[in-house]
């Protein structure tokens, strides 16, 4: 994160007027000096405009292009831009694509990708770039259709990284920077009937690269579509839809600013062939929101074309320090979203984008921050259609300057101002007609400076109806919200109460305290995690000043790769030999690189439920709190069910009247539910009531029955009593072993070796886990480093005592790292009751000796079973993995899974797969034989085909090889998950300090 320091706010400046002016004519061939390292954002370009379609002809130029990659400018091909150039010896590449991704998952064809988070992969010497500057030369022939209209023709590039120059039929059109924004050239004079030749030279590095230091893979090429657009006489140049909504009257007002003569028609509003400027009153309109994304279909008609419109009425404002959307407070349940595909990089298909939107909607996410650049505009179309609030972020980040003390940072250098303003203008103009966009973000982690203030001033002048966001300036002199990253729970509470730290400037401090607060990044979703989501959400919902936040981030940026043996995995920084990289820090998403949901996404869905259900077994009521912004609960169906020890006993539907948005509803239990809960219950059994809210009908984003929210409560919970041993069996010594009921112990070590014919290794005390990413990268010192320094990864075990007695077998051990004087003293008390001779009971107590220097990863036991164990069935929390601070999404029930399916394939192998609060579990092989484990009252359970040490040693999932044993961990506790890889450590209540622990278990052969 950059230093939070005040920025000098210079007088407001306007962008140079460009509307209506013809693009300048480029008269000379570009050289490295005049465009590659120039601070100019480009030459020969059309002025920015809204993205729209029309019935005017368009020619799609995507497909296969000829391609040549040069090592730098000295190696480019002379004359490649000439229409007559012979490119038959060149290779080919698809457009759109990122050239570094070609050839994967094998070897890259055109140079490898490289990942950094903050550091520039070239010297910080702005605006200069290295001589080693991979340069792609593209050529594409196309035939102009015979019926192509008279008038202007534009060539539109949606995205090119990072700098490019363009020729058509040997004529230089111009050049441009700003990778993730469209660039258009007027090709009218260069276009020919019939055959045309388009040539594009793309440079990986340019002066623009200094403004594009986002946390992502450095990839290059024409990575978004290219289109030839006819602009007939009378066609539109641009338009701006203003659709305001007054929540007090329910009326809307529509006005469309149009550059040129046009007529507006919106049938649903009774507007036919009207002056677009209006203003047109729209009585009793349905406002647009993320929950009710109502769009009015319209059309602009000119002499040259017909342009379809999709109009969403809504109003975004800050009133008394609260963000209101259509008059109601807005709470973001958001994610940060990079564009990513494991095989194509930042080139996404429509299906990829739709998958993202549907997954977000189905997991209760209502908002997206487009980190850290504008996405493909097709994604915003989907946000308009399906309903997501959008914080649209400019293609700007200079994070690497923070490593040199922000010296030379372009954000406060007037020479870079036009480049900054150009990027902001192009984003705002392109996306201004999307109702889903409610906030413009100036960029990310670009320090402070007058250029950012100039961007904000221009944007407010151009579009005063949306809010301005920027996180990097703590004083907020030019923003409408106070935005932070990775504040811990304590700081968020202070912010909610308006008690944050005082700024040096009293006036700025006073202004900032009147602003609403969002966390533009929080809860870093790297590997196993994030933890603490529910506690964040409780704070967001408790304080009106807090408007939620955006989890970092949506998707792992893993690159699909294949080992020489053919084993696939997802690669990360350093896997391609990059000299500068940030390891797996690119793999920090709520969905894995293949877009399958992680346990973190399931946890987030539960934490941010828009409907809160509370089942009260004492008062026998069900309370529903509607946290939705717009909708009442009429679209939901509420169902109840009862389970005894995980077995269904009955279910039904609740007759709940619709609860308005922001209100609560309470319902008494129906008679059928009361009757079931009053029925007799066997001793030791549990009875749980579960209430779910699900869609009552198909929605555009999910089917009928899709679960939105749930709650569960115990009528009778787990019994804490341990079965009494009435007639204890006495251990029998013979042939170097003790036999105790079904169990066999080594008489020298006291180790359990067999149970009813099942070979067993262990158990023994286990304090180690394969560090998760939040352990490896913890702020203020990696926790895993403290663990290794303490020796927790190399524990030694010593038998202190072995005592057979009338009550069973007692084994005492001391577990400690080499070179340390602190230890854990553990007593294993084994017993078998003659009344139940097949059940082996273990009462384990362990206590710390000496002073332990750090928290512990886990406290429990580890054992190994035969490798043919393949299935686990359990009664406890599930179905997914969970840890002490990630238990929101798991519920009590009976579940089953194959051993292999219990694993979570995090890109960097690490601790995973824990099933908490297991009452009992059956671990069986194909013939049904195996082991039953019972917890009194419960235990945490992990079952896998490799050890924690194997996980710790592996760098990729392809490094993991199943052993011939199955390893079982039974834990009393584990250290929490937290968000420490980029954020706060595990909260104190989830920290596992060395302390006395009791663990009581039962083992029975199946």
């Amino acid at each position: 994160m950059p230093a939070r320091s005040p920025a000098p706010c210079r007088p407001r400046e306007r962008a140079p007027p460009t509307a209506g002016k013809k693009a300048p004519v480029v008269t000379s061939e570009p050289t490295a000096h005049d465009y590659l390292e120039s601070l100019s954002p480009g030459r020969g370009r059309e002025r920015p405009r809204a993205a729209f379609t029309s019935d005017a002809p368009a020619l799609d130029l995507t497909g296969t292009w000829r391609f040549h990659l040069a090592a730098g400018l000295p190696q480019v091909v002379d004359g490649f831009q000439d229409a007559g150039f012979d490119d038959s010896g060149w290779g080919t590449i698809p457009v759109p694509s990122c050239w570094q991704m070609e050839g994967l998952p094998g070897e890259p064809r055109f140079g490898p990708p490289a990942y950094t988070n903050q550091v520039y992969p070239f010297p910080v010497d702005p605006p200069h770039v290295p001589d080693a500057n991979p340069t792609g030369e593209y050529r594409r022939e196309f035939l102009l259709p015979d019926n192509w209209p008279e008038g202007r023709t534009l060539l539109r590039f949606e995205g090119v990284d990072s700098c490019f120059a363009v020729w058509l039929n040997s004529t230089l059109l111009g050049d441009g920077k700003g990778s993730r924004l469209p660039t258009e050239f007027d090709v009218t004079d260069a276009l020919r009937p019939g055959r045309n030749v388009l040539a594009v030279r793309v440079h990986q590095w340019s002066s623009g690269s200094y403004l594009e230091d986002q946390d992502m893979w450095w990839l290059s090429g024409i990575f978004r579509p290219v289109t030839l657009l006819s602009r007939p006489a009378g066609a539109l140049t641009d338009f701006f839809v203003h659709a305001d909504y007054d929540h007090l009257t329910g009326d809307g007002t529509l006005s469309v600013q149009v550059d040129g003569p046009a007529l507006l028609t919106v049938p649903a509003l009774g507007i036919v062939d009207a002056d677009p400027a209006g203003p047109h009153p729209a009585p009793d309109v349905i406002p647009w929101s993320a929950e009710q994304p109502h769009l009015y279909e319209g059309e602009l008609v000119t002499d040259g074309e017909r342009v379809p419109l999709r109009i969403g009425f809504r109003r975004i404002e800050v009133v008394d320090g609260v963000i209101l959307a259509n008059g109601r407070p807005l709470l973001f349940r958001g994610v940060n979203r990079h564009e990513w595909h494991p095989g194509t990089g930042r080139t996404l298909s429509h299906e990829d984008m739709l998958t993202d939107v549907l997954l977000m909607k189905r997991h209760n996410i209502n908002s997206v921050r487009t980190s850290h650049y504008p996405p493909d505009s097709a994604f915003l179309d989907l946000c308009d259609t399906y309903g997501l609030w959008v914080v649209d972020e400019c293609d700007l980040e200079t994070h690497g300057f923070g490593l040199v003390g922000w010296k030379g940072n372009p954000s406060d250098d007037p020479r870079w101002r036009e480049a900054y303003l150009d990027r902001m203008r192009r984003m705002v103009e392109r996306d201004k007609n999307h109702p889903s966009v409610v906030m413009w973000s100036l960029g990310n982690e670009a320090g402070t400076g007058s250029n950012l203030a100039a961007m904000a001033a221009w944007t407010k002048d151009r579009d005063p109806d949306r809010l301005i966001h920027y996180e990097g300036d703590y004083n907020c002199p030019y923003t409408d919200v106070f935005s932070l990253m990775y504040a811990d729970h304590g700081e968020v509470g202070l912010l909610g109460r308006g008690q944050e730290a005082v700024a040096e400037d009293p006036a700025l401090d006073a202004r900032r305290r009147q602003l609403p607060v969002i966390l533009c990044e929080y809860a870093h979703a790297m590997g196993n995690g994030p933890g603490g989501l529910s506690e964040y959400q409780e704070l967001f919902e408790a304080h009106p000043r807090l408007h939620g936040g955006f989890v970092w981030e949506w998707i792992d940026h893993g690159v699909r790769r294949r080992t020489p043996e053919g084993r696939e995995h997802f690669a990360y920084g350093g896997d391609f030999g990059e000299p500068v990289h940030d390891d797996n820090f690119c793999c920090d998403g709520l969905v894995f690189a293949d877009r399958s949901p992680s346990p973190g996404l399931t946890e987030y869905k539960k934490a941010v439920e828009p409907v809160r259900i509370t089942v009260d077994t004492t008062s026998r009521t069900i309370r529903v709190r509607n946290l939705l912004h717009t909708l009442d609960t009429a679209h939901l169906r509420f169902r109840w069910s009862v389970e005894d020890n995980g077995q269904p006993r009955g279910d039904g539907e609740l007759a709940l009247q619709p609860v308005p948005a922001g209100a609560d509803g309470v319902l008494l239990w129906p008679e059928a539910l009361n009757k079931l809960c009053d029925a007799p219950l066997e001793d030791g059994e549990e009875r749980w009531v579960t209430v779910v809210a699900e869609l009552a009908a198909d929605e555009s984003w999910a089917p009928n029955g899709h679960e939105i929210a749930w709650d569960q409560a115990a009528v009778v919970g787990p019994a804490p009593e341990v079965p009494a041993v009435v007639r204890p069996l006495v251990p029998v010594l013979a042939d170097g072993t003790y036999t105790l009921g079904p169990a066999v112990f080594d008489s020298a070590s006291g180790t359990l070796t067999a149970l009813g014919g099942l070979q067993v290794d262990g158990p023994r005390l286990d304090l180690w886990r394969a560090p998760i990413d939040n352990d490896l990268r913890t702020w203020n010192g990696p926790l895993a480093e403290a663990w290794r320094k303490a020796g927790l990864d190399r524990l030694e075990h010593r038998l202190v005592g072995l005592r057979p007695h009338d009550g069973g077998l007692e084994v005492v051990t001391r577990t400690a790292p080499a070179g340390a004087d602190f230890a854990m003293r553990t007593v294993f008390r084994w017993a078998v009751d003659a009344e139940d001779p097949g059940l082996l009971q273990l009462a384990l107590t362990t206590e710390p000796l000496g002073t332990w220097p750090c928290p512990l990863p886990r406290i429990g036991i580890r054992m190994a079973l035969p490798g043919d164990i393949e299935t686990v069935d359990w009664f406890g929390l599930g179905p997914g993995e969970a840890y002490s601070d990630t238990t929101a999404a798991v519920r009590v029930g009976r579940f089953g899974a194959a051993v292999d399916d219990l694993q979570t394939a995090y890109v960097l192998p690490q601790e995973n797969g824990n099933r908490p609060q297991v009452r009992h579990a059956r671990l069986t092989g194909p013939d049904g034989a195996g082991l039953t484990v019972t917890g009194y009252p419960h235990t945490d359970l992990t079952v896998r085909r490799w050890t924690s040490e194997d996980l710790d040693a592996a760098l990729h999932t392809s490094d993991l090889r199943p052993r011939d044993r199955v390893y079982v961990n039974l834990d009393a506790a584990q250290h929490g998950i937290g968000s420490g890889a980029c954020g706060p450590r595990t909260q104190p209540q989830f920290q596992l300090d060395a302390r006395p622990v009791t663990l009581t278990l039962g083992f029975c052969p199946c």
Side-chain angles (χ1 to χ4, degrees), residues 631-660:
L631 297 177
D632 63 21
T633 60
H635 65 297
L636 300 177
R637 177 171 54 241
F638 292 84
R639 299 186 60 84
W640 60 265
S641 63
V642 176
E643 292 181 341
D644 290 351
N645 258 33
Q647 299 291 351
R649 289 291 178 259
D651 59 63
E653 188 170 333
L654 294 170
L656 179 69
Q657 293 298 310
V659 179

Side-chain angles (χ1 to χ4, degrees), residues 174 325 472 497 558 568 589 761 888 950 990:
R497 297 186 294 272
E568 284 199 357
D761 299 333
D950 294 335
F990 301 117

Side-chain angles (χ1 to χ4, degrees), residues 980-992:
C982 186
R985 287 174 173 258
T986 301
Q987 296 171 84
Q989 65 268 35
F990 301 117
Q991 180 171 302
L992 180 58

Side-chain angles (χ1 to χ4, degrees), residues 367-380:
S367 48
V368 180
R369 175 180 176 229
T370 67
S371 54
H372 296 297
Y373 44 82
D376 190 311
S377 59
F379 178 77
L380 298 181

